[in-house]
Amino acid sequence: MKPAQNSRRSFHFSLFQGILPLNSKQIPLEIIAGITFAAFAIPEVMGYTKIAGMPVVTGIYTILFPMLAFAIFGSSRHLVVGADSATAAIIASGLTTIAVPGSSQYVAYASAIALLVAILLFLGGLFQLGFLADFLSYTVLIGFLTGAGIYISISQISGMLGIPSEPDGTSVQIISLVRNLFLTNTPTLLVSLSVIGVIVLGEKISHKFPGSLIAIIGAIAASRILDFSSYGISVLGTVPQGLPQISIPQIPLSNLPDIFNISVSCFIIILAQSAATSRAYAIKFSDTFNENTDLIGLSLANAAAGISGTFVVNGSPTKTEMIKNAGGRTQLTQLTTVLTVILVLLFFTRPFAYLPTAVLSSMVFLIGLHLIDIEGMTALHRQRPVEFAVALITAITVVVIGVEQGILIAIILSIIAHLRHSYRPLNLLLVPKAGGAMKTFPLESGQQAVEGLLIYRFGSNLYFANEDRFAEEIIDLAIKNGSLKWFCISATNIGDIDFTSAETLKKVYTQLQKLGITLVLSEVVQPVMSELDKDGITQMVGKDHIFESVQDVIEAYKRSTDSSSHRSTDNFSH
């Protein structure tokens, strides 16, 4: 059963929608999946923390109260909420010009962004704006994530080599890398290569193989035994133990406009990515979900992030897939993960002090590479060259100019793509086949349904931007088909008609009348019919020239021509 549209769109609030009803036989599997997922997720969020420029422990905080909040208030049984590479990159891109990464001021700004995102998401859920996710096309998301992947990967190379890094953009980072390459710390490079080797080998063995966890444990053990810091290998140092403190972040109001822009960018990515992920897994498991309820759940998750000293959380496709592979089928898995993380924070943070920072740089480097969607870009280039160009422009913008600007370009290009489809719809001519079914032909063919009748199907809503095209095509077809008696507009794809296009339709009627052609309409939906009544078009065309189907049009036309021929015969005999 696919999720019904009304259940996805309408707002319905109740607790534990992602857990109830719960199959008692599934509970042990959910608990095992939750513990397994924690082993994968903790190393991953530590990597995302490095992308965001936050202290490493704050990454672990993202799979604590935020995950708990969504498990209680969200509707999706599968969506996993936590730190995400795309939103982490947006935060780092915007905040590095305001505060020093990792500083208490930086953390306060990041937490304030999470609270602002929570407000935007709450308003989005309250006003049922979940449908907006549909307007950020998959094409530009491929381009955005590919650009973000390149941006993230390049930003981590200096950490993998143990050389100074530049936070001022990809081009500056590349120049800095080339300039400082001779400063490479060989032991740091060996650690990085070892980590990459373990993770890549683990992925080849099985997607369930915890390569990142093994790399972290191995690096911590080796660092403690061999004293990595004495070889010039940078280590994390003390990681705070215990649960996060609850507080409201304090920031200067003068910087509110800057972080508001970052918050809007995060909101857009969360809206698109979370909805797409929930939708995909709901269909896969024949579950229902509600986009607007999920927005409320995501809002409360980000509010929890903001007051617990961490950064923006998102519905994560990678984490959702991890839980699916671990056997989790409800939010009970996430609740188990939360309990596991609490134990880690209370009793097991001390070993992290020995963790080489190059380990996190290597993990983030691989995360960035995974985001680069070569397969998706190749498919676009092969199948849709225009959409490939859109994705490529988005990716280049992210890499060369910045992540926030990439989001802006993604939105603009999505809107342009949407307008392009409605401005230049696929309009066709209909011709009946044997048995009554209709076959479509391109306009250039000029194919008449029957001699003297042409049926023209317009491919989208009719509004001010495409009404000129609509009128030009009809008149051009009428002139080129000199023997026409009837011109039928099949309105099956026209769900709306604005004032401008209604006036254009009147002009089309008049021009066809001058050419001696009768205008008829078919398959007019009720909302459009109401507009035609108000605008006087129904009266102008005549109710007897508005039909329920194209088959009715053909039959009426044949009766009309038969009666005309009979009259002509009678007149001739007299």
Side-chain angles (χ1 to χ4, degrees):
M1 178 181 71
K2 290 188 178 182
Q5 289 294 320
N6 59 351
S7 72
R8 278 181 47 205
R9 300 299 191 189
S10 59
F11 179 73
H12 173 67
F13 182 78
S14 62
L15 302 181
F16 298 107
Q17 291 182 52
I19 297 176
L20 303 175
L22 182 63
N23 183 347
S24 59
K25 294 180 181 178
Q26 182 69 17
I27 292 175
L29 298 175
E30 299 282 346
I31 292 172
I32 294 169
I35 296 169
T36 305
F37 172 63
F40 283 94
I42 291 172
E44 185 190 49
V45 295
M46 291 169 70
Y48 293 154
T49 306
K50 195 171 192 308
I51 296 173
M54 294 283 284
V56 69
V57 73
T58 62
I60 303 176
Y61 293 164
T62 63
I63 45 176
L64 192 60
F65 298 141
M67 187 174 284
L68 177 64
F70 187 82
I72 295 172
F73 297 102
S75 77
S76 172
R77 296 174 75 84
H78 306 280
L79 184 67
V80 180
V81 169
D84 180 73
S85 54
T87 46
I90 293 168
I91 293 166
S93 173
L95 279 189
T96 48
T97 58
I98 302 174
V100 177
S103 65
S104 59
Q105 187 184 28
Y106 189 98
V107 172
Y109 280 124
S111 298
I113 289 169
L115 289 178
L116 284 173
V117 169
I119 293 170
L120 293 172
L121 288 167
F122 185 82
L123 293 174
L126 196 64
F127 292 105
Q128 301 187 29
L129 300 181
F131 72 92
L132 291 175
D134 298 334
F135 286 88
L136 196 59
S137 73
Y138 183 59
T139 298
V140 296
L141 277 179
I142 288 175
F144 172 78
L145 292 175
T146 296
I150 296 169
Y151 170 88
I152 289 166
S153 297
I154 291 174
S155 71
Q156 299 307 310
I157 295 175
S158 58
M160 292 166 61
L161 300 178
I163 61 179
S165 61
E166 293 286 344
D168 296 326
T170 305
S171 56
V172 176
Q173 287 174 349
I174 292 171
I175 293 169
S176 175
L177 278 171
V178 173
R179 186 183 298 138
N180 295 321
L181 200 58
F182 71 96
L183 297 174
T184 298
N185 180 276
T186 303
T188 300
L189 175 59
L190 291 174
V191 169
S192 301
L193 293 175
S194 300
V195 170
I196 290 173
V198 169
I199 295 174
V200 171
L201 182 62
E203 288 177 351
K204 288 187 177 297
I205 293 171
S206 169
H207 286 295
K208 295 185 178 182
F209 186 83
S212 297
L213 182 64
I214 290 172
I216 284 178
I217 293 172
I220 288 173
S223 176
R224 185 168 185 176
I225 294 167
L226 301 175
D227 188 16
F228 275 4
S229 58
S230 64
Y231 295 93
I233 300 173
S234 174
V235 295
L236 282 181
T238 304
V239 175
Q241 192 170 13
L243 301 181
Q245 294 184 342
I246 303 301
S247 63
I248 303 296
Q250 304 295 317
I251 62 165
L253 292 178
S254 58
N255 288 121
L256 201 58
D258 294 324
I259 67 167
F260 181 76
N261 293 336
I262 301 170
S263 303
V264 171
S265 297
C266 288
F267 165 72
I268 292 163
I269 284 295
I270 292 169
L271 190 68
Q273 192 165 290
S274 299
T277 305
S278 291
R279 188 179 310 161
Y281 284 85
I283 292 172
K284 187 176 293 186
F285 290 99
S286 299
D287 290 327
T288 58
F289 79 104
N290 185 300
E291 288 175 352
N292 297 303
T293 303
D294 277 358
L295 288 181
I296 298 295
L298 286 160
S299 167
L300 295 172
N302 275 283
I307 63 174
S308 60
T310 187
F311 54 99
V312 168
V313 293
N314 187 10
S316 171
T318 54
K319 292 185 184 64
T320 305
E321 183 65 16
M322 282 181 189
I323 280 196
K324 180 188 83 72
N325 290 336
R329 296 295 180 266
T330 74
Q331 294 289 333
L332 180 61
T333 301
Q334 283 82 301
L335 293 180
T336 306
T337 299
V338 169
L339 292 174
T340 307
V341 169
I342 288 174
L343 293 175
V344 170
L345 286 169
L346 290 176
F347 303 110
F348 301 107
T349 59
R350 192 171 297 174
F352 288 129
Y354 298 97
L355 182 66
T357 56
V359 173
L360 296 181
S361 293
S362 302
M363 288 170 55
V364 173
F365 176 79
L366 290 176
I367 289 169
L369 291 184
H370 285 313
L371 285 176
I372 301 172
D373 193 350
I374 295 174
E375 186 179 340
M377 293 292 282
T378 304
L380 284 174
H381 183 265
R382 184 175 62 253
Q383 299 170 22
R384 296 285 189 273
V386 173
E387 293 187 45
F388 169 76
V390 169
L392 186 62
I393 291 169
T394 305
I396 291 171
T397 303
V398 172
V399 174
V400 177
I401 302 176
V403 179
E404 282 184 87
Q405 292 81 358
I407 285 288
L408 180 61
I409 289 294
I411 295 168
I412 292 171
L413 291 178
S414 288
I415 292 170
I416 290 172
H418 171 70
L419 290 175
R420 179 175 174 270
H421 285 301
S422 58
Y423 173 68
R424 297 178 62 87
L426 179 61
N427 305 325
L428 299 164
L429 298 178
L430 304 182
V431 178
K433 296 193 299 182
M438 304 303 293
K439 185 176 181 180
T440 59
F441 287 87
L443 302 187
E444 296 78 22
S445 69
Q447 288 281 344
Q448 297 181 18
V450 294
E451 183 63 33
L453 168 64
L454 190 142
I455 303 175
Y456 165 82
R457 175 175 287 171
F458 193 69
S460 80
N461 291 338
L462 191 54
Y463 68 113
F464 64 89
N466 60 24
E467 47 93 13
D468 274 346
R469 183 184 180 85
F470 170 80
E472 286 171 8
E473 286 182 347
I474 290 175
I475 300 306
D476 185 56
L477 285 165
I479 292 171
K480 286 180 178 177
N481 288 266
S483 61
L484 277 188
K485 295 182 178 66
W486 280 24
F487 191 107
C488 172
I489 298 174
S490 170
T492 187
N493 293 324
I494 302 176
D496 189 26
I497 179 169
D498 67 2
F499 178 81
T500 305
S501 48
E503 293 301 307
T504 299
L505 188 54
K506 291 177 185 177
K507 292 175 185 174
V508 165
Y509 171 83
T510 303
Q511 287 180 277
L512 289 176
Q513 203 173 39
K514 289 178 181 176
L515 293 170
I517 300 170
T518 300
L519 176 65
V520 301
L521 307 175
S522 73
E523 302 157 302
V524 182
V525 296
Q526 189 53 51
V528 174
M529 195 69 192
S530 299
E531 291 300 320
L532 298 182
D533 290 341
K534 289 178 191 174
D535 294 322
I537 294 173
T538 304
Q539 186 178 359
M540 177 184 286
V541 174
K543 287 189 177 181
D544 57 335
H545 285 150
I546 300 177
F547 300 90
E548 289 187 3
S549 68
V550 290
Q551 286 82 3
D552 291 342
V553 172
I554 294 170
E555 289 175 12
Y557 174 74
K558 287 179 178 178
R559 287 195 301 270
S560 170
T561 52
D562 287 345
S563 62
S564 296
S565 63
H566 284 313
R567 282 196 300 269
S568 298
T569 304
D570 290 343
N571 290 336
F572 181 76
S573 63
H574 285 300

